[in-house]
């Protein structure tokens, strides 16, 4: 959700005002995804690297998250949304971690859409953690090296509860992955837009989804093979 800082700067506002507007857009886009029947939406709200931002900005972002959890609680519960989070949540202040954990628990039986917040998240950190968990199992004899598989790695990622990643939208003109869902993105489709996150509206979400819908996902196969098998983003 990139571009909050630039959005604010262009208006002569402090960066936090860009994040505040960004949080409103989170609500709009989550509602739109819920109505569209999207199975899972993961929002990159705070990276491991974001801890190195100026302390006032980190504090402001944590406060926004805390407010978001309180303000969106009813909407999440009433709309069948299951809230989850990926990342090193132990680093979050307890006044964010505890209400977040409570809302995750309260919404855990909901089934209409998964809303996953990537908080204190890093793709490399996630893979490293999975490697350590598996290495530990090898050391204590629970797993043999020859049995380590892609499935086993996936089971030990923070995202093990999520469906396969189909589509990533990156706003604000950046053309980088920035440590987001690195393993999961192996076969994902990307949509890069110059729109800053605070200006990202439902109309552009529809445009992005349309672009996804007409792509052919080949997973290394040929078009002919895909058309024959019916495996495609088109159908
Ligand atoms: C990146 O833009 C954005 C972030 C680091 C924070 C994203 C947070 C929110 C949208 C609000 C809080 C989240 C929720 C779920 C309520 P940037 O600040 O790096 O923008 P810039 O590149 O223009 O400086």
């Amino acid at each position: 959700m990139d571009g909050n800082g630039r959005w604010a700067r262009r208006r002569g506002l402090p960066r936090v005002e860009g994040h505040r507007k960004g949080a409103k857009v989170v609500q709009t886009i989550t509602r739109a995804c819920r109505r569209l029947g999207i199975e899972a939406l993961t929002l990159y709200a705070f990276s491991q690297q974001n801890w190195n931002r100026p302390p006032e900005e980190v504090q402001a972002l944590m406060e926004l998250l805390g407010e978001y959890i309180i303000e969106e609680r009813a909407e999440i519960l009433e709309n069948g949304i299951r809230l989850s989070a990926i990342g090193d949540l132990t680093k979050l202040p307890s006044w964010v971690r505890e209400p977040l954990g409570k809302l995750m628990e309260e919404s855990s039986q909901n089934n209409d859409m998964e809303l996953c917040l990537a908080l204190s998240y890093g793709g490399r950190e996630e893979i490293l953690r999975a490697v350590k968990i598996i290495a530990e199992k090898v050391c204590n004899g629970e797993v043999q090296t020859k049995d380590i598989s892609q499935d086993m790695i996936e089971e030990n990622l923070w995202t093990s509860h999520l469906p396969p990643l189909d589509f990533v939208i990156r706003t604000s003109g950046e053309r980088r992955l920035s440590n987001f869902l690195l393993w999961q993105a192996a076969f994902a489709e990307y949509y890069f837009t110059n729109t800053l996150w605070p200006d990202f509206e439902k109309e552009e979400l529809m445009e992005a989804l349309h672009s996804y819908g007409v792509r052919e996902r080949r997973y290394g196969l040929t078009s002919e093979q895909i058309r024959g098998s019916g495996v495609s983003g088109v159908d």
Side-chain angles (χ1 to χ4, degrees), residues 1-9 15 18-24 26 43-47 50 53 57 61 64-66 68-69 117 119 170 172 174 176 196-197:
M1 298 188 285
D2 223 355
N4 298 345
R6 276 164 283 172
W7 184 92
R9 197 170 57 234
R15 291 178 59 83
H19 295 314
R20 198 178 300 286
K21 175 67 169 44
K24 286 249 165 287
V26 165
L43 299 167
Y44 200 7
F46 196 86
S47 72
N50 287 153
R53 287 196 175 198
E57 183 166 344
L61 279 166
L64 271 176
L65 272 167
Y68 171 83
I69 293 159
L117 302 180
L119 298 173
R170 173 121 204 203
S172 90
E174 308 296 1
R176 301 186 281 272
L196 304 178
W197 175 253

Side-chain angles (χ1 to χ4, degrees), residues 26-133:
V26 165
Q27 186 193 55
T28 311
I29 296 302
T30 304
R31 278 185 187 164
C33 288
R34 168 74 182 80
R35 285 196 197 111
L36 289 164
I38 286 177
E39 191 183 349
L41 170 68
T42 300
L43 299 167
Y44 200 7
F46 196 86
S47 72
Q48 288 262 358
Q49 289 65 36
N50 287 153
W51 289 115
N52 298 321
R53 287 196 175 198
E56 321 76 74
E57 183 166 344
V58 171
Q59 174 71 15
L61 279 166
M62 290 300 131
E63 284 171 14
L64 271 176
L65 272 167
E67 285 167 25
Y68 171 83
I69 293 159
I70 294 166
E71 285 165 16
E72 296 305 303
R73 183 177 170 275
E75 179 147 352
I76 286 174
L77 295 176
E78 284 161 19
N79 285 285
I81 296 173
R82 184 170 53 235
L83 183 71
S84 63
I86 53 173
D88 183 0
L89 306 184
T90 62
K91 286 192 178 167
L92 298 174
S94 58
W95 48 269
V96 171
R97 197 177 56 245
E98 284 162 15
L100 172 69
K102 187 159 176 272
L103 187 50
M104 279 163 46
E105 176 58 36
E106 285 178 297
S107 66
S108 61
Q109 299 306 312
N110 287 350
N111 276 318
D112 294 325
M113 187 176 88
E114 179 85 35
L115 173 62
C116 177
L117 302 180
L119 298 173
S120 189
Y121 174 83
R124 285 188 172 183
E125 289 80 354
E126 178 182 39
I127 294 168
L128 178 62
R129 176 179 168 273
V131 168
K132 286 183 180 170
I133 295 170

